[in-house]
Amino acid sequence: GAVVSQHPSWVICKSGTSVKIECRSLDFQATTMFWYRQFPKQSLMLMATSNEGSKATYEQGVEKDKFLINHASLTLSTLTVTSAHPEDSSFYICSAERTGGIDTQYFGPGTRLTVL
Amino acid sequence: GENVEQHPSTLSVQEGDSAVIKCTYSDSASNYFPWYKQELGKGPQLIIDIRSNVGEKKDQRIAVTLNKTAKHFSLHITETQPEDSAVYFCAASSGGSYIPTFGRGTSLIVHP
């Protein structure tokens, strides 16, 4: 149990376009989901925390108008990178905390975004 | 806020040897300490965790120890295998809304 999926696994887009990444908890409900960004050979950087039915909480330095997060249901959160630029190229990973669980986060497989 | 230091950044061992990765944390309120394994191009996978009311936890070849007084916790892998090669992250968080602070990661290389 506790499987988290992400789609797509990789995406290449042109500069100026928007890209949507989906994060799903497949076999559990997740009141809270998290979005991370990871640069090569570095640790995970928390971008935002999203709670089902409410606005996401963004970490300092993360532009909320550029990285739109929607958590419309207990099993789905989406991250939209708007007007993408090459510097947005990165590995984006989501995680989910099981509703009523004991604080454990389960991570998705990640999405590799390349902006040309 | 919480600060987690992880050492070493790279660890190279021979197959069959043991590997130890150490982390320290700064916030005495932290009470949950998970360890994640991340293979290249994949998301982190939880491999073991420990809570502050326990000093040691073991799962087959993997064990984690926690010293609350010294604010450090360690991951021990025995009888290492090439498939153990990956980046390992420690993390620490306090209870309630779970937002962990991650260490910088340890790249473990197990040579056959």
Side-chain angles (χ1 to χ4, degrees), chain B residues 11-19 61 77-82 84-85 108-112:
Chain B
L11 180 58
S12 184
V13 300
Q14 288 296 128
E15 182 176 3
D17 288 350
S18 294
R61 297 187 296 108
I77 305 175
T78 58
E79 300 173 31
T80 54
Q81 302 166 3
D84 294 330
S85 297
L108 173 64
I109 303 167
V110 180
H111 299 281

Side-chain angles (χ1 to χ4, degrees), chain A residues 34 38 43 102-105 109, chain B residues 32 36 38 51 96 98 100 103:
Chain A
F34 305 86
Q38 187 178 37
S43 190
I102 50 173
D103 297 341
T104 302
Q105 280 195 27
Chain B
Y32 179 60
Y36 291 90
Q38 186 178 27
R51 297 188 181 273
Y98 176 65

Side-chain angles (χ1 to χ4, degrees), chain A residues 23-112:
Chain A
C23 176
R24 293 180 185 273
S25 55
L26 298 185
D27 52 1
F28 66 99
Q29 292 185 328
T31 305
T32 305
M33 289 184 168
F34 305 86
W35 286 95
Y36 292 84
R37 185 172 181 177
Q38 187 178 37
F39 292 103
K41 297 187 179 181
Q42 293 192 21
S43 190
L44 298 103
M45 183 188 79
L46 180 65
M47 298 175 66
T49 302
S50 75
N51 290 293
E52 185 265 337
S54 62
K55 290 183 178 179
T57 301
Y58 291 81
E59 295 298 300
Q60 193 172 10
V62 178
E63 299 176 58
K64 61 180 181 181
D65 294 330
K66 180 166 187 62
F67 298 100
L68 302 179
I69 292 172
N70 183 278
H71 192 161
S73 77
L74 287 173
T75 60
L76 173 64
S77 177
T78 60
L79 167 68
T80 301
V81 182
T82 62
S83 186
H85 288 96
E87 56 265 31
D88 298 325
S89 299
S90 191
F91 193 51
Y92 292 88
I93 312 172
C94 72
S95 70
E97 180 182 341
R98 192 197 304 255
T99 300
I102 50 173
D103 297 341
T104 302
Q105 280 195 27
Y106 299 94
F107 284 85
T111 297
R112 172 73 59 192

Side-chain angles (χ1 to χ4, degrees), chain B residues 5-13 18-24 35-37 47 63-65 72-77 80 84 86-90 103-109:
Chain B
E5 298 284 340
Q6 183 172 348
H7 299 281
S9 57
T10 305
L11 180 58
S12 184
V13 300
S18 294
V20 180
I21 302 170
K22 298 181 179 181
C23 289
T24 60
W35 285 88
Y36 291 90
K37 174 183 180 182
I47 55 172
V64 58
T65 58
H72 65 70
F73 56 113
S74 301
L75 177 71
H76 305 252
I77 305 175
T80 54
D84 294 330
V87 177
Y88 291 80
F89 291 98
C90 64
R104 297 175 71 87
T106 296
S107 177
L108 173 64
I109 303 167

